[in-house]
């Protein structure tokens, strides 16, 4: 039986929400050879009792035997990032840097039984397909023998989250003038992720006279 952390703080709840919306990350654990990592989609389930991240890996992945109900896994969920040149600031003598958002979720990993594979696949597809402007595709539409063969090739792991760490650098320590100047540069970028960061910077310090035109 999983032991869940009973309560998360408000900022931790926001980090969990961020991770759930992203739905993709890097899971890391350590064995006798050192760190092992895999890039994984995931489903995050929040309950009054806590939060569980459910992932799947191929059965031969070296992380699978590490999900022994005692070992800790780390899931790194990255958001948008942007390089900021030193001449974008309003003031002098700043240093070029990167802005970013990320969340680290960690806890004990538990290997689920093979009977959980279909339920995990259905849940993962439901979340991912809901993001697309079309009728959702699901496993029912797959040829049954092929579907069962693919499901038999994976193993499902529950990461029982007990530690949530939000990582963000959005120029929050710079002056208002520098903050506005950098946000304006990002807002005019051709990259969608840069524009999203600009809006978050604006929300962090509203009412400063931003010019995003």
């Amino acid at each position: 039986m999983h032991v869940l952390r009973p309560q998360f703080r408000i900022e931790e709840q926001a980090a969990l929400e961020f991770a759930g919306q992203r739905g993709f990350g890097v899971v890391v654990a350590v064995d006798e050879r050192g760190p092992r990592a895999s890039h994984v989609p995931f489903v995050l389930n929040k309950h009054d009792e806590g939060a569980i991240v459910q992932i799947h890996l191929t059965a031969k992945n070296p992380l699978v035997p590490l999900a022994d109900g005692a070992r800790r896994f780390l899931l790194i969920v990255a958001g948008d990032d942007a390089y900021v040149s030193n001449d974008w600031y309003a003031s002098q003598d700043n240093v070029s840097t990167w802005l970013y958002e990320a969340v680290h979720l960690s806890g004990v990993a538990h290997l689920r039984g093979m009977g959980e594979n279909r339920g995990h696949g259905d849940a993962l597809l439901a979340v991912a397909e809901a993001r697309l402007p079309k009728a959702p595709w699901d496993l029912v539409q797959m040829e049954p023998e092929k579907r069962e063969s693919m499901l038999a090739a994976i193993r499902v792991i529950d990461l029982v989250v007990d530690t949530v760490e939000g990582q963000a650098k959005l120029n929050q320590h710079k002056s208002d003038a520098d903050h506005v100047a950098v946000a304006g540069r990002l807002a005019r970028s051709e990259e969608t992720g840069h524009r999203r960061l600009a809006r978050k910077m604006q929300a962090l310090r509203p009412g400063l006279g931003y010019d995003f035109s």
Side-chain angles (χ1 to χ4, degrees), residues 9 11-12 14-16 18 77 100-105 163-169 172:
R9 300 189 303 273
E11 61 270 23
E12 293 173 325
L16 286 169
F18 173 90
V77 184
Y100 63 90
E101 289 187 297
V103 167
H104 296 175
L105 307 178
T163 304
V164 179
E165 298 175 304
Q167 306 277 329
K169 184 178 181 183
Q172 57 264 50

Side-chain angles (χ1 to χ4, degrees), residues 65 94 110:
N94 283 286
H110 302 258

Side-chain angles (χ1 to χ4, degrees), residues 19-167:
Q21 289 174 355
R22 299 295 292 181
F24 192 83
V26 180
V27 64
V28 183
V30 177
D31 64 12
E32 66 280 358
R33 295 178 58 189
R36 300 280 193 165
S38 284
H39 298 257
V40 293
F42 63 85
V43 179
L44 193 153
N45 294 306
K46 292 190 296 181
H47 310 280
D48 291 340
E49 299 84 7
I52 294 176
V53 171
Q54 192 170 84
I55 68 171
H56 70 273
L57 301 165
T58 60
K60 295 182 179 180
N61 190 297
L63 284 168
V64 169
L66 302 184
D68 55 9
R71 197 182 308 256
R72 297 182 64 80
F73 277 29
L74 168 67
L75 178 67
I76 302 168
V77 184
D80 296 314
D81 65 86
Y83 172 72
V84 175
S85 181
N86 59 359
D87 58 8
W88 287 9
Y89 294 97
S91 61
Q92 299 294 316
D93 299 323
N94 283 286
V95 178
S96 299
T97 190
W98 276 260
L99 305 186
Y100 63 90
E101 289 187 297
V103 167
H104 296 175
L105 307 178
S106 58
V108 176
H110 302 258
L111 188 63
R112 301 300 298 262
M114 296 291 288
E116 304 287 341
N117 290 9
R118 176 62 187 274
H120 168 75
D122 287 339
L124 186 63
L125 282 172
V127 172
E129 290 284 322
R131 299 188 176 108
L132 302 178
K134 69 178 185 68
W137 184 89
D138 59 39
L139 290 172
V140 173
Q141 301 173 52
M142 194 173 187
E143 193 277 317
E145 185 174 343
K146 179 66 172 178
R147 179 184 63 228
E148 296 310 310
S149 174
M150 292 185 68
L151 287 172
I154 67 171
R155 298 305 305 270
V156 175
I157 293 172
D158 281 350
L159 171 58
V160 182
V161 179
D162 59 30
T163 304
V164 179
E165 298 175 304
Q167 306 277 329

